Amino acid sequence: MIFDTHAHYDSPHFDADREELLTALPSQGVCGVLSCADSEKSCREALSLAEKYDYIYAACGVHPHNAKDIDWTEFESALRQYLAHPKCVCLGEIGLDYHYDFSPREKQRELFEQQLALALELDKPVCVHIREATGEVTEILGKYRPRGVVHCFTGSVETAKILLNMGLYLGFGGAVTFKNARKPREAAAYCPLESMLLETDAPYMTPVPFRGKRCDSRHIKYTAQMIGDMKNIDPAALLAKTAANARELFEV
């Protein structure tokens, strides 16, 4: 019952064995994957994977790192076409990332708001990325009030409360298993089951005991074990509930 709500299977990390891996995942407990784009090119690649594999769905949008490459007047029409695809169930991943300076902050904010406005117009859920920009992201989300998920949530309980009060889901991944991951574990312990999703961010964020190796959707079971132990919930029940949450949010 693994539904991985955030993965990047178009990544070059999977070039050597992508078809073999993706063909095998359903037999190993994976019932759904949201393959998330981060650029216009990966929008097309995510859709291609979704067309090839029944259990894969696509999220199309542009990551803040790549905001500098986007001319909205040209990209908007293409994005509308991607979002109209029957297997494109989300707009993402979008947001703000101030850890790196890959794109100017003003350009990131502009593109984030443009994509949020489009999601509202088309009634698509969003997948939101936040890194070192919590205050600005929560302010912008409060302005637009989209439905969707804040992925790879590693913030505080206080931030979790703000986002949950907006009706957003929180996505938890391998970070909750890391040795010094106090904040994400506290947030996961606080987050109600009905507002929780599980993810990998594959090929990144591999949980303990495989940290440092390439991640794939099968690794969610280690995240589920950690959160299940904290919440005194059977991991299988947690996987089933978060899979149901994913199907409800993405309408699949």
Side-chain angles (χ1 to χ4, degrees), residues 64-197:
H65 285 343
N66 299 316
K68 66 182 184 303
D69 302 323
I70 297 300
D71 180 339
W72 183 250
T73 58
E74 296 180 359
F75 178 59
E76 181 184 5
S77 60
L79 182 54
R80 285 178 180 272
Q81 291 183 11
Y82 301 145
L83 294 169
H85 191 288
K87 292 206 73 180
C88 183
V89 299
C90 182
L91 201 163
E93 73 183 277
I94 63 177
L96 300 178
D97 191 317
Y98 293 169
H99 183 74
Y100 297 106
D101 294 322
F102 293 141
S103 287
R105 293 184 178 186
E106 184 56 40
K107 179 64 174 176
Q108 290 187 42
R109 289 191 291 268
E110 180 182 75
L111 183 62
F112 184 29
E113 294 204 46
Q114 288 165 331
Q115 292 182 104
L116 283 172
L118 183 59
L120 289 183
E121 177 191 334
L122 301 178
D123 191 28
K124 286 281 188 181
V126 295
C127 175
V128 179
H129 171 102
I130 306 174
R131 192 169 187 188
E132 297 181 18
T134 300
E136 288 190 52
V137 172
T138 54
E139 180 181 351
I140 292 169
L141 290 174
K143 174 182 174 182
Y144 287 89
R145 307 291 293 198
R147 60 191 180 97
V149 56
V150 176
H151 105 91
C152 194
F153 187 78
T154 56
S156 65
V157 169
E158 290 72 21
T159 300
K161 289 178 179 178
I162 293 170
L163 297 169
L164 291 168
N165 285 339
M166 294 182 193
L168 293 163
Y169 289 81
L170 301 182
F172 293 94
V176 300
T177 71
F178 297 171
K179 183 178 179 182
N180 297 316
R182 178 181 60 83
K183 281 188 177 181
R185 280 203 284 268
E186 289 177 349
Y190 172 80
C191 182
L193 284 180
E194 60 266 23
S195 299
M196 178 178 287
L197 299 176

Side-chain angles (χ1 to χ4, degrees), residues 11 25 41 59 68 91 110 194 232 251:
S11 167
L25 285 181
K41 177 175 180 286
K68 66 182 184 303
L91 201 163
E110 180 182 75
E194 60 266 23
N232 195 28
E251 300 177 342

